Amino acid sequence: MPEAILEVKDLHFSYEAGKETLKGISFSVPKGSYACVIGHNGSGKSTLAKCIMGLNSTFKGDVLLFGEKLSPSSVYRLRSRIGIVFQNPDNQFVGSTVADDIAFGLENTQVPTEQMEEIIHSFAKQVGMEDFLEHEPQMLSGGQKQRVAISGVLAMKPSLIIFDEATAMLDPKGKKEIYALVERMRQENPDLTLLSITHDVEEAANADQVIVINDGNIVYSGTPKEVFSHEKELKEISLHVPFFFALKRRLEDRGLEIPEDVDSLPLLEDYLCR
Amino acid sequence: MKAFTLGRYVPYNSWIHRLDPRLKILATILLMVCVFFNFPTWSMRYLMGGLLFAVISILVACTKISFRDVIGSLRHLWFMVIFLLIIYVLVPNGNHTLPEAWNLNGWVVYWDSFAEAGRILLRLVMMIELTLVLTASTKPLDLTYALEWYLTPLKVFHFPAAEVAMIISIALRFIPTLLEDTQRVMKAQSSRGVDFEHGSLWKRLMGVTSLVIPLFVSSFVRSEELANAMECRGYDPQAKRTRYHVLHFHWLDLLALVLSSALLAGYITVSVMNLDFFAMLGWAAL
């Protein structure tokens, strides 16, 4: 088992006394993996995200990042190694142009001015925004703004990137762009650990690990295949199953045998057409 | 409304655009001081004013501001013209040097009044043109950097120059976003029956309330999320930061500084020494 980048142990959190939003959450995310936390609105997943980022500091239990306990004294040090992409594309765009926004994080970590231009160019290129460096945020689409946010995060060379509902406010095209980008990031950098907090189950279909949260508790946790085999139970907590798993189940119900190694939509398509 | 930017920056690559923003602020102030000198005779006042106006007009032309924008910026001056004329014609002028314009049963008005009103109008026009050159040729963000530079000495007194500059640049960054919000809330409230354009003043005022409150709420939500995002990206106002934009002072900036200082020096000399070029040449001056 590779080292755990993020470990959450028996996490409790309440906004008001006597009413717990998180009721003892425990999970760990190994290095280089892609974990998805899913849950419908009000399930506590955003609260969990805030706890991990150190924005909710009054939780009970432990959050270990890179093996170190998250506390008010370690939060700044630990945060420099994690990158966070938030939900609202506008509210995380700090600079007045794309280049300025990518530079913002670099300025904070005191990267020398002479190196900035090159870093900005290379990371803008990674997300396909190199032609938009002088553009102002109001000239960009939501998906483009999120890509800028991702490149700003990547430029900080984090070991862990947290996506806090990063695609929730995007149109389908923007969502696709971000999914493709995340997939590419994983291929290019196998050591990068990703944690996505989302209510979009399609995103979870590609994850290594899926954690389903409902009412402050972990309901299911495991590989997408394991988790999404509980179709009926998931429906009860207002979550549906990714299209691939739903389709596979329907086909199997009708007596079709689908081999184990067919584990994505394109593969299934190939298999059926054969 | 979407294309709204503060001060109407005109994206163009003229030599004025390329000047260091710090220098542009200083030079603008130097030229503004020139505007306010007084000279002994009317001919001198108008000669020196006219010279300065010519210089400023050349600057405006170099900045490539469209003629329509220039006229547009002066549009509201007609009110000032009428006001000035009324004041100067009604208020008796003590030390007149020009002949009488009219004498109606003892109500004497000298041409001085009109000359004075004209001079003040010329000053106003020059001030407006100068600020127009500054804002049209400099990005708001560059102005912020320049301002930060000028405020840096105040750090001795623990004045947070970098934080103030950050606040200003974020405010500038969010103007278009908040305008978009405003339009969205306006449309939403209009569709719910709020009328922003018709009815009594009171009714319209109540309409505006329905716009202001949701806007307040949304901007607070925005600012909290922005603060979280900035914190997560390692922003610490007390910490030292490096800079992406570094202002450079070039020889062209030096030249511009020398020229504007020379102009100011010339105006000071002529004004303080009460020079009258017309008298020197032996012409009868007014």
Side-chain angles (χ1 to χ4, degrees):
Chain A
M1 179 104 176
E3 112 193 63
I5 290 289
L6 168 67
E7 228 178 324
V8 177
K9 286 183 190 163
D10 196 30
L11 188 71
H12 291 261
F13 183 84
S14 44
Y15 285 106
E16 42 187 304
K19 216 179 130 196
E20 283 201 322
T21 315
L22 298 179
K23 303 167 181 168
I25 302 257
S26 304
F27 65 91
S28 78
V29 182
K31 189 176 177 179
S33 75
Y34 177 22
C36 256
V37 175
I38 57 172
H40 67 87
N41 295 338
S43 60
K45 61 181 191 308
S46 303
T47 310
L48 173 67
K50 282 199 175 133
C51 289
I52 297 170
M53 293 167 211
L55 297 171
N56 281 349
S57 55
T58 55
F59 56 79
K60 288 193 204 85
D62 285 332
V63 174
L64 278 84
L65 283 158
F66 317 105
E68 194 176 338
K69 220 169 123 173
L70 185 71
S71 67
S73 60
S74 65
V75 63
Y76 279 98
R77 198 153 25 85
L78 291 173
R79 238 188 229 149
S80 65
R81 296 178 60 191
I82 59 178
I84 300 164
V85 182
F86 291 91
Q87 177 177 13
N88 191 319
D90 265 315
N91 297 354
Q92 54 185 317
F93 207 110
V94 184
S96 39
T97 62
V98 171
D100 280 303
D101 191 58
I102 301 174
F104 177 73
L106 301 174
E107 289 176 331
N108 292 338
T109 44
Q110 298 174 40
V111 172
T113 308
E114 312 82 61
Q115 296 171 17
M116 278 192 196
E117 198 66 49
E118 201 189 320
I119 299 177
I120 290 169
H121 266 276
S122 75
F123 283 97
K125 205 169 174 174
Q126 275 194 27
V127 298
M129 291 295 290
E130 71 272 25
D131 296 332
F132 298 89
L133 282 177
E134 294 307 314
H135 278 55
E136 289 167 15
Q138 63 267 30
M139 290 142 81
L140 305 174
S141 72
Q144 286 174 324
K145 278 180 228 176
Q146 285 307 62
R147 267 150 63 193
V148 173
I150 291 174
S151 78
V153 159
L154 284 175
M156 315 279 288
K157 302 213 166 67
S159 321
L160 167 68
I161 300 184
I162 301 174
F163 293 89
D164 182 12
E165 302 254 18
T167 58
M169 288 179 77
L170 304 183
D171 52 13
K173 188 169 163 263
K175 276 186 195 173
K176 261 191 196 147
E177 284 172 10
I178 301 298
Y179 293 158
L181 180 61
V182 167
E183 207 46 49
R184 229 187 44 235
M185 274 157 54
R186 289 183 65 202
Q187 277 159 18
E188 280 167 14
N189 191 350
D191 275 349
L192 190 65
T193 314
L194 301 175
L195 174 69
S196 179
I197 288 144
T198 178
H199 62 248
D200 184 4
V201 290
E202 296 299 333
E203 194 183 337
N206 298 322
D208 298 321
Q209 183 190 4
V210 178
I211 297 148
V212 182
I213 291 192
N214 187 46
D215 199 21
N217 287 308
I218 293 189
V219 196
Y220 296 109
S221 161
T223 63
K225 214 169 115 190
E226 287 162 20
V227 169
F228 293 124
S229 61
H230 305 277
E231 193 173 343
K232 217 196 227 157
E233 293 87 341
L234 286 174
K235 215 159 239 170
E236 272 163 27
I237 55 169
S238 330
L239 285 171
H240 66 100
V241 160
F243 179 68
F244 165 72
F245 291 98
L247 180 66
K248 195 174 158 195
R249 199 186 155 82
R250 296 283 181 288
L251 290 169
E252 280 170 346
D253 283 351
R254 300 207 167 187
L256 204 69
E257 287 270 329
I258 295 167
E260 279 292 301
D261 57 335
V262 175
D263 58 356
S264 70
L265 207 53
L267 285 178
L268 183 65
E269 202 181 317
D270 280 354
Y271 176 74
L272 291 175
C273 293
R274 223 182 297 141
Chain B
M1 206 141 132
K2 212 176 170 187
F4 175 90
T5 46
L6 203 71
R8 287 163 179 242
Y9 173 68
V10 182
Y12 192 84
N13 198 14
S14 74
W15 62 271
I16 297 188
H17 284 71
R18 284 195 297 271
L19 287 178
D20 189 316
R22 293 170 293 184
L23 170 107
K24 269 189 272 192
I25 291 183
L26 182 65
T28 306
I29 294 171
L30 293 182
L31 290 182
M32 278 182 176
V33 174
C34 289
V35 170
F36 286 99
F37 280 112
N38 194 12
F39 301 98
T41 63
W42 280 112
S43 350
M44 274 306 286
R45 282 171 202 158
Y46 272 96
L47 174 74
M48 297 306 273
L51 267 177
L52 195 60
F53 182 70
V55 170
I56 293 170
S57 303
I58 292 169
L59 292 179
V60 171
C62 288
T63 324
K64 306 278 177 188
I65 309 170
S66 73
F67 190 67
R68 229 185 56 212
D69 281 353
V70 179
I71 297 299
S73 69
L74 302 174
R75 198 175 46 219
H76 299 295
L77 272 183
W78 64 267
F79 178 77
M80 217 44 214
V81 175
I82 293 173
F83 181 75
L84 281 172
L85 279 177
I86 291 174
I87 291 294
Y88 279 103
V89 169
L90 286 184
V91 176
N93 195 325
N95 37 11
H96 51 90
T97 53
L98 295 178
E100 259 176 41
W102 64 69
N103 186 346
L104 290 173
N105 297 330
W107 179 37
V108 192
V109 172
Y110 296 94
W111 283 112
D112 287 75
S113 305
F114 296 98
E116 188 66 40
R119 185 163 71 120
I120 290 189
L121 185 69
L122 186 66
R123 281 179 174 177
L124 280 173
V125 171
M126 288 196 284
M127 293 294 284
I128 292 171
E129 302 297 81
L130 271 173
T131 42
L132 194 67
V133 169
L134 180 67
T135 52
S137 69
T138 323
K139 284 183 199 153
L141 198 67
D142 284 335
L143 280 179
T144 316
Y145 291 138
L147 194 69
E148 183 186 353
W149 188 81
Y150 279 115
L151 292 177
T152 314
L154 292 178
K155 271 186 186 157
V156 180
F157 308 107
H158 298 286
F159 182 81
E163 280 106 306
V164 169
M166 177 61 83
I167 291 167
I168 298 174
S169 69
I170 286 176
L172 291 172
R173 144 77 186 90
F174 272 90
I175 286 173
T177 312
L178 291 178
L179 277 176
E180 247 171 64
D181 268 6
T182 314
Q183 277 182 321
R184 200 171 44 240
V185 175
M186 254 174 123
K187 278 181 192 156
Q189 298 289 41
S190 303
S191 71
R192 286 169 176 79
V194 178
D195 192 346
F196 294 105
E197 278 152 23
H198 304 96
S200 67
L201 188 69
W202 178 249
K203 263 191 174 165
R204 272 185 288 170
L205 212 62
M206 292 314 284
V208 170
T209 322
S210 75
L211 176 69
V212 168
I213 289 172
L215 209 58
F216 245 109
V217 173
S218 84
S219 43
F220 271 104
V221 171
R222 274 187 194 286
S223 60
E224 190 181 348
E225 283 184 19
L226 180 74
N228 279 345
M230 287 173 73
E231 204 181 306
C232 287
R233 288 174 72 181
Y235 179 68
D236 179 1
Q238 262 91 49
K240 202 171 136 26
R241 304 176 75 225
T242 48
R243 327 203 39 158
Y244 173 46
H245 286 282
V246 180
L247 302 173
H248 295 287
F249 202 79
H250 296 294
W251 64 268
L252 190 66
D253 300 310
L254 190 66
L255 187 70
L257 180 62
V258 169
L259 284 180
S260 49
S261 312
L263 196 71
L264 178 63
Y267 272 74
I268 293 177
T269 318
V270 173
S271 177
V272 171
M273 295 181 72
N274 273 332
L275 296 181
D276 188 343
F277 299 145
F278 295 89
M280 283 178 201
L281 292 168
W283 295 345
L286 291 167

